[in-house]
Amino acid sequence: MTDAALPTSSAPAPAIPRRAWQALIVLLAAMFIALLDTTIVNVALPSIRTSIDASEATLSWIISGYALAFGLALIPAGRIGDRIGHKWVFFSGLALFTVSSLACGLSQNDVQLVVSRVVQGLAGGMFVPAVTAYIQLLFPFRSRGKAFAIMGAVIGVSSALGPIVGGLIIEAFGAENGWRLVFGVNLPIGIATLAAAAILLPGHRESDAISVSINGPTSAASPVKAGIDWLGLVLVSAGLVALLVPLIQGEDEGWPLWTFVSLAVGALLIVAFGAWEVAYAKRGRSPLVPPRLFRHPSFTGGVILALVYFAAFTSIFFTISILWQAGLGHTALESGVVSIPFAIGSIVGSSQSGRLAQRLGRTVLVIGTAAVTGGLAWVWLVLLLTDPSDLTNWELIAPLLIAGLGNGLFIAPNAQFIVATVDRSEAGAASGVISAMQRVGSAVGIAVIGSVFFGTLVIDGQTPDAVATGFGTSATSAMAVSVGFALLAFALVFTLPRRTGVPGSH
């Protein structure tokens, strides 16, 4: 299989323009705040709960609504960027993200906050695809690995730092104002990045010219008709919302009949989406999720892996933050401190993941998911065997460090192994599907974990010990579900190829 865009091995590596590195800094600054917001809000949830009298379902929506909207926007945003230019899609998405962050901070009730978070997630999903698109356009093939490694480090660090930064902000400004400033931290970064993006990011024609100069001419255009699969987007969006709403609201409302109807409708809509994608592709159009990708069984396994791993990974600090503050009476900063071992492990693991992936292949993902599973199982045992009133962060240092190391080993290289299951010509579409499924997995994980946590929450009495016991029991049940997700992710890793570069090689 050949690719005209790839330089020959004997040719000298093209020089990377200085502007490419400047553009990368701008792009990664935006990605940093988008991914920081996936975890920074966790430590603010108890403060939000008391400040605006938010319901338990609202707490799940604040996380799940952001993640779901983010995931659903990724693929159409990438397609629109390909057609009209990534610069202004990036700029528009970042501007909307900044404004919606302000709206989150100014919200006076739970409805305003959830709506603002959903808009914020949509905005994040608009501009994040431009990051990978610009790396493909501005960096020659043999230099992209370094750019993607830097991007992977930013992903790991931003997600890991979220609870710590959130805790510091709430500690400094108090519970009432602190949770609002958790969203406000995006404003100066967003404004500065918008100004830099207007100057430093090349426009559509300019970026194409740069790409040709360093990567060579692209191959002939595909005969597939361009366009956005709007009906597919509506079907999959409606289906996922119909599935998530009862998972989040069901426990709060006592599982009335409409929740089961919604689940059934959601499943039917997802089936209809699949049938539509097949029919749309047969008409020579470009579907939202190309059905041909799923001709590769390993890709199907990899997509499920992306979903269940992120369901496990993003839900653990939702559980710990609520337990630590609402159940045990600790501050937001103390809750953030609990995550420090995980953050350190993630940073160390991600810094070594690229080198280990080259040397060990798929084994690095096996080690990573095994460490995450073992670390979470250890956390579950600590919660199960320790009296909640005696629980401190010291008992969680070792298991969270191990889980963090595993997370760092997995997060950076996992996408390239999943993409390696399909043909090179399908890599772009596969990357979009994987990114979307990661965010959908985050939404599903929070929905399920939140339902389990609050569904098992029973407080027998009003004493501090009774509150701690009630929240401790619920946290133990929720963590058991996270362990289950992690175990499934560990099993699914073995569906991926042993090495990248050879689709389907096992």
Side-chain angles (χ1 to χ4, degrees), residues 86-99:
H86 293 285
K87 178 174 182 175
W88 297 111
V89 174
F90 176 88
F91 193 91
S92 300
L94 182 56
L96 181 60
F97 185 89
T98 305
V99 171

Side-chain angles (χ1 to χ4, degrees), residues 119-315:
V119 174
Q120 192 188 34
L122 283 171
M126 284 174 63
F127 69 77
V128 163
V131 180
T132 54
Y134 268 116
I135 290 175
Q136 296 281 354
L137 290 170
L138 301 180
F139 289 84
F141 177 75
R142 279 179 283 170
S143 300
R144 280 179 207 153
K146 185 175 182 180
F148 277 118
I150 296 171
M151 185 185 79
V154 169
I155 291 172
V157 170
S158 59
S159 301
L161 288 180
I164 303 167
V165 174
L168 287 170
I169 292 172
I170 293 173
E171 181 73 13
F173 296 97
E176 180 64 32
N177 295 318
W179 74 264
R180 298 182 184 277
L181 291 174
V182 160
F183 297 106
V185 75
N186 296 330
L187 300 183
I189 301 175
I191 292 170
T193 304
L194 283 169
I199 298 169
L200 294 174
L201 292 187
H204 196 31
R205 293 182 180 178
E206 185 182 0
S207 59
D208 284 347
I210 293 172
S211 178
V212 170
S213 70
I214 63 174
N215 294 314
T218 57
S219 56
S222 168
V224 175
K225 298 177 184 177
I228 304 299
D229 177 13
W230 293 113
L231 180 57
L233 180 61
V234 169
L235 286 172
V236 71
S237 301
L240 289 171
V241 170
L243 290 171
L244 280 176
V245 167
L247 289 175
I248 293 174
Q249 296 286 147
E251 184 59 42
D252 207 30
E253 300 189 15
W255 295 101
L257 177 62
W258 71 262
T259 58
F260 298 100
V261 173
S262 182
L263 287 169
V265 169
L268 289 174
L269 286 170
I270 295 298
V271 172
F273 167 70
W276 167 254
E277 295 298 273
V278 172
Y280 198 65
K282 287 181 177 178
R283 289 162 50 190
R285 308 290 294 185
S286 178
L288 194 68
V289 178
R292 67 181 182 275
L293 294 176
F294 295 92
R295 290 200 297 262
H296 308 278
S298 294
F299 178 78
T300 304
V303 167
I304 301 172
L305 166 64
L307 189 149
V308 298
Y309 181 84
F310 274 75
F313 156 57
T314 55
S315 61

